[in-house]
Amino acid sequence: LSENDILFLSKALTFWDRLNSEEKELITKNLASIKYKKGEAIHRGENDCIGLFVVKSGTVRTYLMSEEGKEVTLYRLFERDVCVLSASCIIKNITFDVNIDAESECEILLINSSVFFELVQKNIYIENFSYKIAVDRFSDVIWAMEQILFMSFDKRLATFLIDEATNNNDDTISLTHEQIAKYMGSAREVVSRMLKYFANEGTVELLRGGVKILDKSKLRYLLK
Amino acid sequence: LSENDILFLSKALTFWDRLNSEEKELITKNLASIKYKKGEAIHRGENDCIGLFVVKSGTVRTYLMSEEGKEVTLYRLFERDVCVLSASCIIKNITFDVNIDAESECEILLINSSVFFELVQKNIYIENFSYKIAVDRFSDVIWAMEQILFMSFDKRLATFLIDEATNNNDDTISLTHEQIAKYMGSAREVVSRMLKYFANEGTVELLRGGVKILDKSKLRYLLK
Protein backbone atom coordinates (compact mmCIF):
# COMPACT_ATOMS: atom_id res chain seq x y z
CA LEU A 1 0.00 0.00 0.00
CA SER A 2 1.16 3.47 -0.85
CA GLU A 3 1.36 6.52 1.40
CA ASN A 4 -1.43 7.91 -0.76
CA ASP A 5 -3.73 5.02 0.12
CA ILE A 6 -3.18 5.62 3.83
CA LEU A 7 -3.82 9.33 3.42
CA PHE A 8 -6.93 8.60 1.36
CA LEU A 9 -8.18 6.18 4.03
CA SER A 10 -7.53 8.55 6.91
CA LYS A 11 -9.73 11.14 5.23
CA ALA A 12 -12.58 8.73 4.45
CA LEU A 13 -12.57 7.18 7.92
CA THR A 14 -13.41 10.20 10.05
CA PHE A 15 -12.53 8.32 13.27
CA TRP A 16 -8.86 8.22 12.20
CA ASP A 17 -7.73 10.88 14.68
CA ARG A 18 -9.37 8.89 17.50
CA LEU A 19 -7.15 5.87 16.84
CA ASN A 20 -4.03 5.10 18.81
CA SER A 21 -0.90 4.06 16.92
CA GLU A 22 -1.56 0.38 17.60
CA GLU A 23 -5.02 0.59 16.04
CA LYS A 24 -3.66 2.52 13.07
CA GLU A 25 -1.07 -0.15 12.53
CA LEU A 26 -3.68 -2.90 12.78
CA ILE A 27 -5.57 -1.25 9.92
CA THR A 28 -2.66 -0.36 7.65
CA LYS A 29 -0.99 -3.76 8.03
CA ASN A 30 -4.17 -5.61 7.11
CA LEU A 31 -5.61 -3.28 4.52
CA ALA A 32 -6.24 -4.87 1.11
CA SER A 33 -6.60 -3.02 -2.16
CA ILE A 34 -8.88 -4.99 -4.50
CA LYS A 35 -9.85 -4.36 -8.11
CA TYR A 36 -13.16 -5.44 -9.66
CA LYS A 37 -14.26 -5.56 -13.27
CA LYS A 38 -17.49 -3.88 -14.34
CA GLY A 39 -20.44 -6.02 -13.21
CA GLU A 40 -18.41 -8.20 -10.84
CA ALA A 41 -19.87 -9.15 -7.45
CA ILE A 42 -18.19 -7.55 -4.42
CA HIS A 43 -20.53 -8.95 -1.78
CA ARG A 44 -23.27 -11.58 -2.08
CA GLY A 45 -26.07 -11.45 0.50
CA GLU A 46 -25.98 -13.64 3.56
CA ASN A 47 -23.13 -15.84 2.35
CA ASP A 48 -20.67 -12.98 2.56
CA CYS A 49 -19.19 -10.70 5.18
CA ILE A 50 -16.08 -9.23 3.63
CA GLY A 51 -15.71 -6.31 6.05
CA LEU A 52 -15.77 -2.53 5.82
CA PHE A 53 -14.51 -0.91 2.64
CA VAL A 54 -13.85 2.48 1.10
CA VAL A 55 -14.42 3.05 -2.62
CA LYS A 56 -11.09 4.16 -4.07
CA SER A 57 -12.42 4.57 -7.62
CA GLY A 58 -15.49 3.63 -9.62
CA THR A 59 -19.14 3.13 -8.72
CA VAL A 60 -20.60 0.46 -6.47
CA ARG A 61 -24.29 -0.54 -6.58
CA THR A 62 -26.13 -1.99 -3.57
CA TYR A 63 -29.40 -3.81 -4.16
CA LEU A 64 -31.92 -6.26 -2.76
CA MET A 65 -32.70 -9.44 -4.67
CA SER A 66 -35.85 -11.52 -4.32
CA GLU A 67 -35.89 -15.32 -4.42
CA GLU A 68 -37.12 -15.06 -8.01
CA GLY A 69 -34.17 -12.84 -8.95
CA LYS A 70 -36.04 -9.52 -9.01
CA GLU A 71 -33.66 -6.68 -8.10
CA VAL A 72 -34.25 -3.35 -6.38
CA THR A 73 -31.42 -0.82 -6.29
CA LEU A 74 -31.04 0.75 -2.83
CA TYR A 75 -28.21 3.22 -3.49
CA ARG A 76 -24.86 3.72 -5.19
CA LEU A 77 -21.49 4.53 -3.63
CA PHE A 78 -18.81 6.65 -5.25
CA GLU A 79 -15.17 7.55 -4.60
CA ARG A 80 -14.38 7.96 -0.88
CA ASP A 81 -17.78 6.54 0.23
CA VAL A 82 -17.64 3.91 2.95
CA CYS A 83 -19.60 0.66 2.83
CA VAL A 84 -20.55 -0.97 6.13
CA LEU A 85 -23.38 -3.30 5.01
CA SER A 86 -20.62 -5.58 3.72
CA ALA A 87 -19.70 -6.08 7.40
CA SER A 88 -23.22 -6.89 8.61
CA CYS A 89 -21.95 -9.92 10.55
CA ILE A 90 -20.09 -7.50 12.84
CA ILE A 91 -22.81 -4.86 13.25
CA LYS A 92 -25.27 -7.23 14.90
CA ASN A 93 -28.40 -5.17 14.50
CA ILE A 94 -28.11 -5.06 10.71
CA THR A 95 -30.31 -8.13 10.29
CA PHE A 96 -30.73 -7.96 6.53
CA ASP A 97 -28.45 -8.78 3.64
CA VAL A 98 -27.76 -6.98 0.44
CA ASN A 99 -25.89 -7.60 -2.78
CA ILE A 100 -23.08 -5.28 -3.79
CA ASP A 101 -21.73 -5.12 -7.34
CA ALA A 102 -19.05 -3.12 -9.10
CA GLU A 103 -21.14 -1.04 -11.48
CA SER A 104 -18.07 0.22 -13.27
CA GLU A 105 -14.44 -0.86 -13.01
CA CYS A 106 -13.72 -0.38 -9.31
CA GLU A 107 -10.99 -0.36 -6.73
CA ILE A 108 -11.73 -0.67 -3.04
CA LEU A 109 -9.69 -0.54 0.18
CA LEU A 110 -10.91 -3.32 2.46
CA ILE A 111 -10.60 -3.74 6.22
CA ASN A 112 -11.53 -7.39 6.63
CA SER A 113 -14.19 -8.60 9.07
CA SER A 114 -11.91 -9.96 11.77
CA VAL A 115 -9.79 -6.79 11.93
CA PHE A 116 -12.94 -4.66 11.83
CA PHE A 117 -14.46 -6.75 14.65
CA GLU A 118 -11.37 -6.19 16.80
CA LEU A 119 -11.48 -2.43 16.16
CA VAL A 120 -15.20 -2.09 16.91
CA GLN A 121 -14.71 -3.94 20.20
CA LYS A 122 -11.82 -1.72 21.22
CA ASN A 123 -12.91 1.74 20.21
CA ILE A 124 -16.36 3.28 20.71
CA TYR A 125 -15.62 5.89 18.01
CA ILE A 126 -15.26 3.19 15.39
CA GLU A 127 -18.52 1.57 16.43
CA ASN A 128 -20.14 4.98 16.36
CA PHE A 129 -18.78 5.73 12.90
CA SER A 130 -20.13 2.41 11.62
CA TYR A 131 -23.64 3.10 12.90
CA LYS A 132 -23.46 6.62 11.53
CA ILE A 133 -22.56 5.38 8.06
CA ALA A 134 -25.38 2.82 8.28
CA VAL A 135 -27.82 5.63 9.15
CA ASP A 136 -26.62 7.57 6.08
CA ARG A 137 -27.57 4.53 4.00
CA PHE A 138 -30.90 4.31 5.86
CA SER A 139 -31.67 7.79 4.54
CA ASP A 140 -30.68 6.70 1.01
CA VAL A 141 -32.95 3.66 1.25
CA ILE A 142 -35.97 5.68 2.40
CA TRP A 143 -35.40 7.98 -0.57
CA ALA A 144 -35.31 4.99 -2.93
CA MET A 145 -38.43 3.57 -1.28
CA GLU A 146 -40.34 6.83 -1.75
CA GLN A 147 -39.28 6.89 -5.40
CA ILE A 148 -40.44 3.34 -6.00
CA LEU A 149 -43.68 3.48 -4.04
CA PHE A 150 -44.88 7.04 -4.51
CA MET A 151 -43.50 8.41 -7.74
CA SER A 152 -45.31 7.78 -11.01
CA PHE A 153 -43.29 5.72 -13.45
CA ASP A 154 -42.68 8.50 -16.00
CA LYS A 155 -41.07 10.61 -13.25
CA ARG A 156 -39.01 7.68 -12.00
CA LEU A 157 -37.71 6.85 -15.46
CA ALA A 158 -36.91 10.52 -16.13
CA THR A 159 -35.00 10.68 -12.83
CA PHE A 160 -33.14 7.48 -13.68
CA LEU A 161 -32.09 8.69 -17.15
CA ILE A 162 -30.95 12.09 -15.85
CA ASP A 163 -28.98 10.47 -13.01
CA GLU A 164 -27.29 7.98 -15.34
CA ALA A 165 -26.36 10.73 -17.83
CA THR A 166 -24.99 12.90 -15.01
CA ASN A 167 -23.03 10.11 -13.33
CA ASN A 168 -21.41 8.99 -16.59
CA ASN A 169 -21.16 12.50 -18.03
CA ASP A 170 -22.69 11.14 -21.25
CA ASP A 171 -26.18 11.67 -22.67
CA THR A 172 -26.09 8.20 -24.20
CA ILE A 173 -27.04 5.59 -21.64
CA SER A 174 -25.61 2.23 -22.63
CA LEU A 175 -28.15 0.01 -20.92
CA THR A 176 -30.76 -2.29 -22.45
CA HIS A 177 -34.44 -1.94 -21.48
CA GLU A 178 -34.00 -5.18 -19.53
CA GLN A 179 -31.09 -3.70 -17.55
CA ILE A 180 -32.93 -0.44 -16.88
CA ALA A 181 -35.91 -2.45 -15.62
CA LYS A 182 -33.64 -4.47 -13.34
CA TYR A 183 -32.02 -1.36 -11.88
CA MET A 184 -35.41 0.24 -11.31
CA GLY A 185 -37.06 -2.84 -9.85
CA SER A 186 -39.58 -2.77 -12.69
CA ALA A 187 -40.50 -4.95 -15.69
CA ARG A 188 -38.94 -4.72 -19.16
CA GLU A 189 -42.34 -4.19 -20.79
CA VAL A 190 -43.08 -1.21 -18.55
CA VAL A 191 -39.70 0.39 -19.35
CA SER A 192 -40.05 -0.25 -23.10
CA ARG A 193 -43.53 1.24 -23.20
CA MET A 194 -42.46 4.42 -21.43
CA LEU A 195 -39.25 4.79 -23.47
CA LYS A 196 -41.31 4.47 -26.67
CA TYR A 197 -43.55 7.22 -25.36
CA PHE A 198 -40.51 9.40 -24.57
CA ALA A 199 -39.13 8.69 -28.07
CA ASN A 200 -42.41 9.70 -29.70
CA GLU A 201 -42.27 12.97 -27.80
CA GLY A 202 -38.73 13.59 -29.10
CA THR A 203 -37.30 13.39 -25.58
CA VAL A 204 -35.04 10.42 -26.24
CA GLU A 205 -33.76 8.38 -29.17
CA LEU A 206 -33.79 4.58 -28.85
CA LEU A 207 -30.50 2.96 -29.89
CA ARG A 208 -29.43 -0.65 -30.13
CA GLY A 209 -28.55 -1.48 -26.51
CA GLY A 210 -29.03 2.04 -25.27
CA VAL A 211 -30.95 5.28 -24.99
CA LYS A 212 -29.81 8.75 -26.01
CA ILE A 213 -31.28 11.78 -24.28
CA LEU A 214 -32.21 14.36 -26.90
CA ASP A 215 -34.00 16.91 -24.73
CA LYS A 216 -33.06 17.01 -21.06
CA SER A 217 -35.35 19.94 -20.32
CA LYS A 218 -38.37 17.80 -21.29
CA LEU A 219 -37.25 15.12 -18.83
CA ARG A 220 -36.69 17.72 -16.13
CA TYR A 221 -40.12 19.22 -16.84
CA LEU A 222 -41.66 15.85 -15.87
CA LEU A 223 -40.16 16.19 -12.40
CA LYS A 224 -41.92 19.48 -11.64
CA LEU B 1 -42.98 11.09 37.46
CA SER B 2 -43.00 7.98 39.57
CA GLU B 3 -40.01 5.89 40.67
CA ASN B 4 -41.43 3.22 38.37
CA ASP B 5 -41.16 5.51 35.33
CA ILE B 6 -37.51 6.18 36.07
CA LEU B 7 -36.82 2.47 36.56
CA PHE B 8 -38.69 1.69 33.33
CA LEU B 9 -36.68 4.35 31.47
CA SER B 10 -33.34 3.20 32.84
CA LYS B 11 -34.01 -0.28 31.45
CA ALA B 12 -35.14 0.92 28.01
CA LEU B 13 -32.25 3.37 27.61
CA THR B 14 -29.29 0.99 27.71
CA PHE B 15 -26.82 3.88 28.04
CA TRP B 16 -28.23 4.68 31.52
CA ASP B 17 -25.21 3.27 33.41
CA ARG B 18 -22.91 5.47 31.29
CA LEU B 19 -24.60 8.65 32.54
CA ASN B 20 -23.21 10.79 35.34
CA SER B 21 -25.60 12.04 38.02
CA GLU B 22 -25.91 15.43 36.31
CA GLU B 23 -27.01 13.83 33.04
CA LYS B 24 -29.47 11.56 34.85
CA GLU B 25 -30.96 14.57 36.58
CA LEU B 26 -31.23 16.46 33.26
CA ILE B 27 -33.32 13.59 31.91
CA THR B 28 -35.53 12.91 34.90
CA LYS B 29 -36.27 16.61 35.55
CA ASN B 30 -37.36 17.15 31.95
CA LEU B 31 -39.05 13.85 31.20
CA ALA B 32 -42.68 14.16 30.10
CA SER B 33 -45.28 11.42 30.23
CA ILE B 34 -47.84 11.92 27.46
CA LYS B 35 -51.04 10.03 26.65
CA TYR B 36 -52.49 9.66 23.17
CA LYS B 37 -55.87 8.40 22.02
CA LYS B 38 -56.12 5.69 19.40
CA GLY B 39 -55.35 7.17 15.98
CA GLU B 40 -53.87 10.41 17.31
CA ALA B 41 -50.75 11.88 15.69
CA ILE B 42 -47.58 11.74 17.81
CA HIS B 43 -45.20 13.16 15.19
CA ARG B 44 -45.94 14.72 11.83
CA GLY B 45 -43.17 14.60 9.22
CA GLU B 46 -40.85 17.52 8.72
CA ASN B 47 -42.88 19.97 10.79
CA ASP B 48 -42.14 18.08 13.97
CA CYS B 49 -39.14 17.15 16.08
CA ILE B 50 -40.52 16.21 19.46
CA GLY B 51 -37.44 14.33 20.70
CA LEU B 52 -36.62 10.78 21.72
CA PHE B 53 -39.35 8.73 23.36
CA VAL B 54 -39.95 5.33 24.95
CA VAL B 55 -43.30 3.57 24.50
CA LYS B 56 -44.71 3.03 28.00
CA SER B 57 -47.87 1.29 26.81
CA GLY B 58 -49.76 0.71 23.56
CA THR B 59 -48.66 0.43 19.93
CA VAL B 60 -47.11 3.14 17.79
CA ARG B 61 -47.12 3.01 13.98
CA THR B 62 -44.47 4.71 11.84
CA TYR B 63 -45.22 5.32 8.17
CA LEU B 64 -44.31 7.29 5.08
CA MET B 65 -46.93 9.44 3.39
CA SER B 66 -46.85 10.60 -0.22
CA GLU B 67 -47.98 14.05 -1.34
CA GLU B 68 -51.23 12.44 -2.50
CA GLY B 69 -51.81 10.93 0.95
CA LYS B 70 -50.79 7.36 0.11
CA GLU B 71 -49.36 5.65 3.21
CA VAL B 72 -46.75 2.93 3.63
CA THR B 73 -46.25 1.42 7.07
CA LEU B 74 -42.55 1.07 7.94
CA TYR B 75 -42.76 -0.61 11.36
CA ARG B 76 -44.57 -0.65 14.69
CA LEU B 77 -43.18 -0.01 18.17
CA PHE B 78 -44.43 -1.70 21.31
CA GLU B 79 -43.90 -1.34 25.08
CA ARG B 80 -40.31 -0.42 26.00
CA ASP B 81 -39.31 0.28 22.35
CA VAL B 82 -37.41 3.52 21.76
CA CYS B 83 -38.23 5.94 18.95
CA VAL B 84 -35.44 8.13 17.60
CA LEU B 85 -36.88 9.16 14.22
CA SER B 86 -39.00 11.65 16.17
CA ALA B 87 -35.71 13.42 16.96
CA SER B 88 -34.43 13.55 13.37
CA CYS B 89 -33.54 17.24 13.72
CA ILE B 90 -30.86 16.19 16.24
CA ILE B 91 -29.47 13.15 14.40
CA LYS B 92 -28.29 15.13 11.38
CA ASN B 93 -27.81 12.26 8.98
CA ILE B 94 -31.44 11.15 9.24
CA THR B 95 -32.48 13.23 6.25
CA PHE B 96 -36.00 11.87 5.85
CA ASP B 97 -39.19 12.42 7.76
CA VAL B 98 -41.85 10.02 8.89
CA ASN B 99 -45.29 10.16 10.47
CA ILE B 100 -45.87 8.50 13.80
CA ASP B 101 -49.36 7.68 15.10
CA ALA B 102 -50.76 6.08 18.22
CA GLU B 103 -52.25 2.91 16.77
CA SER B 104 -53.93 2.08 20.06
CA GLU B 105 -54.33 4.14 23.21
CA CYS B 106 -50.72 4.96 24.09
CA GLU B 107 -48.51 6.45 26.74
CA ILE B 108 -44.98 7.61 26.00
CA LEU B 109 -42.07 8.97 28.03
CA LEU B 110 -40.52 11.85 26.11
CA ILE B 111 -37.07 13.41 26.32
CA ASN B 112 -37.59 16.62 24.38
CA SER B 113 -35.33 17.71 21.51
CA SER B 114 -33.35 20.39 23.33
CA VAL B 115 -32.53 18.10 26.29
CA PHE B 116 -31.73 15.26 23.89
CA PHE B 117 -29.47 17.57 21.87
CA GLU B 118 -27.54 18.54 25.01
CA LEU B 119 -27.12 14.88 25.98
CA VAL B 120 -25.94 13.76 22.53
CA GLN B 121 -23.35 16.55 22.51
CA LYS B 122 -22.04 15.59 25.92
CA ASN B 123 -21.95 11.84 25.87
CA ILE B 124 -20.73 9.63 23.02
CA TYR B 125 -22.65 6.65 24.45
CA ILE B 126 -25.95 8.46 23.98
CA GLU B 127 -25.08 9.36 20.40
CA ASN B 128 -24.03 5.76 19.85
CA PHE B 129 -27.29 4.44 21.32
CA SER B 130 -29.30 6.74 19.04
CA TYR B 131 -27.54 5.53 15.91
CA LYS B 132 -27.90 1.94 17.08
CA ILE B 133 -31.66 2.32 17.53
CA ALA B 134 -31.88 3.95 14.10
CA VAL B 135 -30.04 0.96 12.59
CA ASP B 136 -32.57 -1.38 14.26
CA ARG B 137 -35.30 0.54 12.45
CA PHE B 138 -33.26 0.37 9.23
CA SER B 139 -33.51 -3.42 9.48
CA ASP B 140 -37.28 -3.18 10.05
CA VAL B 141 -37.66 -0.94 7.01
CA ILE B 142 -35.72 -3.28 4.73
CA TRP B 143 -37.99 -6.11 5.90
CA ALA B 144 -41.08 -4.02 5.09
CA MET B 145 -39.58 -3.09 1.71
CA GLU B 146 -38.95 -6.74 0.83
CA GLN B 147 -42.54 -7.57 1.79
CA ILE B 148 -43.96 -4.79 -0.35
CA LEU B 149 -41.73 -5.24 -3.38
CA PHE B 150 -41.12 -8.97 -3.51
CA MET B 151 -44.02 -10.77 -1.85
CA SER B 152 -47.12 -11.61 -3.86
CA PHE B 153 -50.23 -9.83 -2.61
CA ASP B 154 -52.06 -12.93 -1.30
CA LYS B 155 -49.06 -13.69 0.95
CA ARG B 156 -48.83 -10.09 2.11
CA LEU B 157 -52.51 -9.92 2.97
CA ALA B 158 -52.34 -13.27 4.79
CA THR B 159 -49.35 -12.00 6.79
CA PHE B 160 -51.17 -8.78 7.59
CA LEU B 161 -54.33 -10.55 8.82
CA ILE B 162 -52.36 -13.03 10.95
CA ASP B 163 -50.26 -10.22 12.47
CA GLU B 164 -53.33 -8.11 13.26
CA ALA B 165 -55.14 -11.06 14.86
CA THR B 166 -52.05 -11.94 16.92
CA ASN B 167 -51.36 -8.35 18.04
CA ASN B 168 -54.96 -7.77 19.13
CA ASN B 169 -55.50 -11.33 20.32
CA ASP B 170 -58.77 -11.38 18.34
CA ASP B 171 -59.59 -13.19 15.10
CA THR B 172 -61.95 -10.39 14.12
CA ILE B 173 -60.01 -7.54 12.55
CA SER B 174 -61.98 -4.32 12.90
CA LEU B 175 -60.59 -2.49 9.89
CA THR B 176 -62.32 -1.50 6.67
CA HIS B 177 -60.89 -2.55 3.29
CA GLU B 178 -59.89 1.09 2.85
CA GLN B 179 -57.93 1.04 6.14
CA ILE B 180 -56.26 -2.28 5.36
CA ALA B 181 -55.22 -0.88 1.97
CA LYS B 182 -53.79 2.21 3.66
CA TYR B 183 -51.77 0.17 6.15
CA MET B 184 -50.45 -2.07 3.40
CA GLY B 185 -49.64 0.74 0.99
CA SER B 186 -52.04 -0.78 -1.50
CA ALA B 187 -55.36 0.17 -3.15
CA ARG B 188 -58.81 -0.58 -1.72
CA GLU B 189 -59.87 -2.41 -4.88
CA VAL B 190 -56.89 -4.76 -4.63
CA VAL B 191 -57.64 -5.54 -0.98
CA SER B 192 -61.36 -6.06 -1.64
CA ARG B 193 -60.70 -8.41 -4.54
CA MET B 194 -58.32 -10.58 -2.51
CA LEU B 195 -60.56 -10.61 0.59
CA LYS B 196 -63.48 -11.73 -1.61
CA TYR B 197 -61.28 -14.53 -2.90
CA PHE B 198 -60.32 -15.50 0.68
CA ALA B 199 -64.04 -15.42 1.63
CA ASN B 200 -64.97 -17.68 -1.28
CA GLU B 201 -62.34 -20.13 -0.10
CA GLY B 202 -63.85 -20.11 3.39
CA THR B 203 -60.68 -18.60 4.85
CA VAL B 204 -62.32 -15.41 6.14
CA GLU B 205 -65.79 -13.96 6.63
CA LEU B 206 -66.43 -10.39 5.52
CA LEU B 207 -68.20 -8.29 8.15
CA ARG B 208 -69.45 -4.72 8.09
CA GLY B 209 -66.31 -2.73 8.83
CA GLY B 210 -64.18 -5.78 9.46
CA VAL B 211 -62.86 -9.21 8.58
CA LYS B 212 -63.12 -12.38 10.65
CA ILE B 213 -60.53 -15.11 10.19
CA LEU B 214 -62.32 -18.48 9.95
CA ASP B 215 -59.39 -20.71 9.07
CA LYS B 216 -55.94 -19.55 10.15
CA SER B 217 -54.24 -22.69 8.84
CA LYS B 218 -55.34 -21.78 5.30
CA LEU B 219 -53.78 -18.34 5.68
CA ARG B 220 -50.59 -19.86 7.08
CA TYR B 221 -50.51 -22.35 4.20
CA LEU B 222 -50.24 -19.40 1.79
CA LEU B 223 -47.00 -18.37 3.44
CA LYS B 224 -45.23 -21.66 2.72
Side-chain angles (χ1 to χ4, degrees):
Chain A
L1 287 167
S2 68
E3 288 271 329
N4 272 343
D5 283 344
I6 308 292
L7 185 69
F8 180 83
L9 198 74
S10 69
K11 283 185 179 164
L13 305 178
T14 55
F15 57 75
W16 195 261
D17 292 339
R18 300 280 188 176
L19 299 176
N20 60 36
S21 54
E22 200 183 296
E23 290 162 341
K24 282 180 188 170
E25 205 184 309
L26 183 63
I27 292 177
T28 53
K29 280 212 169 155
N30 289 285
L31 198 66
S33 180
I34 310 175
K35 285 181 184 174
Y36 294 91
K37 286 181 205 133
K38 182 178 171 171
E40 219 175 330
I42 297 176
H43 177 93
R44 271 289 162 271
E46 57 186 334
N47 304 316
D48 247 350
C49 186
I50 59 173
L52 177 139
F53 70 80
V54 184
V55 180
K56 203 172 146 188
S57 65
T59 308
V60 161
R61 183 172 75 102
T62 302
Y63 58 98
L64 294 176
M65 182 143 70
S66 74
E67 283 172 23
E68 293 85 31
K70 191 179 164 190
E71 294 181 8
V72 174
T73 299
L74 298 176
Y75 55 82
R76 291 179 168 77
L77 297 178
F78 304 94
E79 192 181 310
R80 210 187 270 192
D81 283 337
V82 179
C83 180
V84 72
L85 295 195
S86 49
S88 59
C89 59
I90 309 300
I91 308 295
K92 291 288 175 217
N93 59 343
I94 300 179
T95 58
F96 56 94
D97 281 295
V98 296
N99 293 312
I100 304 171
D101 282 2
E103 191 165 50
S104 65
E105 204 175 59
C106 271
E107 193 167 356
I108 68 168
L109 294 174
L110 176 71
I111 300 173
N112 73 50
S113 294
S114 62
V115 170
F116 182 57
F117 178 70
E118 204 179 323
L119 290 164
V120 166
Q121 297 288 315
K122 276 184 179 168
N123 190 320
I124 178 84
Y125 291 96
I126 299 177
E127 187 183 53
N128 207 44
F129 173 85
S130 308
Y131 286 139
K132 201 172 187 170
I133 292 289
V135 173
D136 284 338
R137 297 299 89 78
F138 188 10
S139 295
D140 292 342
V141 164
I142 290 283
W143 187 87
M145 200 169 174
E146 288 176 331
Q147 295 274 313
I148 294 169
L149 296 174
F150 295 152
M151 214 188 238
S152 58
F153 192 73
D154 57 344
K155 287 188 182 186
R156 285 184 59 211
L157 186 56
T159 306
F160 180 84
L161 295 175
I162 291 170
D163 284 356
E164 283 297 312
T166 309
N167 287 341
N168 300 313
N169 204 16
D170 186 348
D171 281 350
T172 298
I173 293 131
S174 303
L175 293 170
T176 64
H177 299 186
E178 183 75 43
Q179 287 171 311
I180 295 174
K182 236 183 170 180
Y183 283 9
M184 295 183 66
S186 180
R188 191 194 54 73
E189 295 74 19
V190 178
V191 171
S192 294
R193 200 187 312 133
M194 190 61 75
L195 282 176
K196 214 171 196 177
Y197 174 79
F198 284 176
N200 286 338
E201 301 276 302
T203 314
V204 303
E205 186 189 340
L206 304 185
L207 311 172
R208 185 185 286 265
V211 182
K212 185 177 177 181
I213 300 178
L214 298 177
D215 190 342
K216 230 178 233 178
S217 63
K218 275 194 186 171
L219 284 181
R220 290 219 179 84
Y221 185 77
L222 279 174
L223 303 180
K224 276 180 190 164
Chain B
L1 286 168
S2 69
E3 287 271 330
N4 274 343
D5 283 344
I6 309 291
L7 186 68
F8 179 83
L9 198 73
S10 69
K11 283 185 180 164
L13 304 179
T14 55
F15 56 76
W16 195 259
D17 292 339
R18 301 279 190 176
L19 300 176
N20 61 35
S21 54
E22 201 183 295
E23 290 161 341
K24 281 180 189 170
E25 206 184 309
L26 182 64
I27 293 178
T28 53
K29 281 212 168 156
N30 289 286
L31 198 66
S33 179
I34 310 176
K35 284 181 183 172
Y36 294 91
K37 286 182 204 133
K38 182 177 170 171
E40 220 176 329
I42 298 176
H43 177 94
R44 271 290 162 271
E46 57 186 333
N47 304 316
D48 247 350
C49 188
I50 59 172
L52 178 139
F53 69 80
V54 184
V55 180
K56 203 173 147 187
S57 65
T59 308
V60 161
R61 184 173 74 101
T62 303
Y63 59 98
L64 294 176
M65 184 143 69
S66 74
E67 283 172 22
E68 293 84 31
K70 191 179 164 190
E71 294 182 9
V72 174
T73 299
L74 297 176
Y75 54 82
R76 291 180 166 77
L77 298 178
F78 304 94
E79 193 180 310
R80 211 186 271 193
D81 283 336
V82 179
C83 181
V84 71
L85 294 195
S86 49
S88 59
C89 59
I90 308 301
I91 309 296
K92 292 288 175 216
N93 59 342
I94 300 178
T95 58
F96 56 94
D97 281 294
V98 296
N99 293 312
I100 304 171
D101 282 3
E103 191 165 51
S104 65
E105 204 175 57
C106 270
E107 193 167 356
I108 68 167
L109 294 174
L110 177 71
I111 300 173
N112 71 51
S113 294
S114 63
V115 170
F116 181 58
F117 178 69
E118 205 179 322
L119 290 164
V120 166
Q121 298 287 315
K122 276 183 179 167
N123 191 320
I124 177 83
Y125 290 97
I126 300 177
E127 187 183 55
N128 206 45
F129 174 84
S130 309
Y131 285 138
K132 200 173 187 169
I133 291 289
V135 173
D136 284 337
R137 297 298 90 80
F138 188 10
S139 294
D140 292 342
V141 164
I142 290 284
W143 187 86
M145 200 168 174
E146 287 177 331
Q147 295 275 313
I148 294 169
L149 297 174
F150 295 151
M151 214 189 237
S152 57
F153 192 74
D154 57 343
K155 287 188 182 187
R156 285 184 59 210
L157 187 56
T159 306
F160 180 83
L161 295 174
I162 291 170
D163 284 354
E164 283 297 312
T166 309
N167 287 342
N168 300 312
N169 202 15
D170 186 349
D171 280 351
T172 299
I173 292 132
S174 301
L175 293 171
T176 64
H177 300 188
E178 184 74 42
Q179 286 172 311
I180 295 174
K182 236 183 171 181
Y183 283 9
M184 296 182 65
S186 180
R188 190 196 53 74
E189 295 74 18
V190 178
V191 171
S192 294
R193 199 187 312 132
M194 190 60 77
L195 281 176
K196 213 172 197 173
Y197 174 80
F198 283 176
N200 286 338
E201 302 274 301
T203 313
V204 303
E205 186 189 339
L206 304 184
L207 311 171
R208 184 186 287 267
V211 182
K212 185 177 178 180
I213 299 177
L214 298 178
D215 190 341
K216 229 178 233 176
S217 63
K218 275 193 187 172
L219 284 182
R220 289 218 179 84
Y221 185 77
L222 279 175
L223 304 180
K224 277 179 192 166

